[in-house]
Amino acid sequence: MEIKVKVKTNKNKQEIQKIDENNFIINLKSSPVDNKANKELIKLFSKELKLRVKIKKGLKSKEKILEII
């Protein structure tokens, strides 16, 4: 199963906004430097939604496709 996310970095707090079943907007505290935002994104999904995910597409983009593993 794939999930589409739009990531917004350098925000004051972490937040997951569900648009529909497979689309989310994610606010992250980290900056997109040295892969910090990607690591925070994966950690947030596992902590808040209890899902193990990996980034399938969009490592250097604000729009990503995550795959549930």
Side-chain angles (χ1 to χ4, degrees):
M1 180 178 181
E2 293 181 349
I3 298 170
K4 294 181 182 178
V5 296
K6 184 172 184 179
V7 176
K8 297 180 180 180
T9 57
N10 297 319
K11 297 295 180 181
N12 290 333
K13 64 177 184 171
Q14 291 179 331
E15 186 175 51
I16 298 175
Q17 299 172 8
K18 186 173 183 179
I19 297 174
D20 61 32
E21 189 66 30
N22 294 323
N23 293 297
F24 294 86
I25 295 175
I26 312 294
N27 292 332
L28 299 173
K29 291 181 179 180
S30 298
S31 65
V33 177
D34 294 330
N35 216 17
K36 291 179 185 177
N38 288 334
K39 291 176 184 176
E40 183 182 354
L41 173 67
I42 291 170
K43 186 184 246 185
L44 181 65
F45 262 85
S46 66
K47 181 181 174 187
E48 296 294 324
L49 300 179
K50 308 293 190 249
L51 295 174
R52 290 185 53 209
V53 297
K54 69 176 183 177
I55 299 173
K56 184 175 181 178
K57 188 175 181 182
L59 279 173
K60 295 184 178 186
S61 174
K62 290 185 180 203
E63 296 184 10
K64 303 178 184 302
I65 296 177
L66 305 179
E67 183 178 15
I68 298 174
I69 53 175

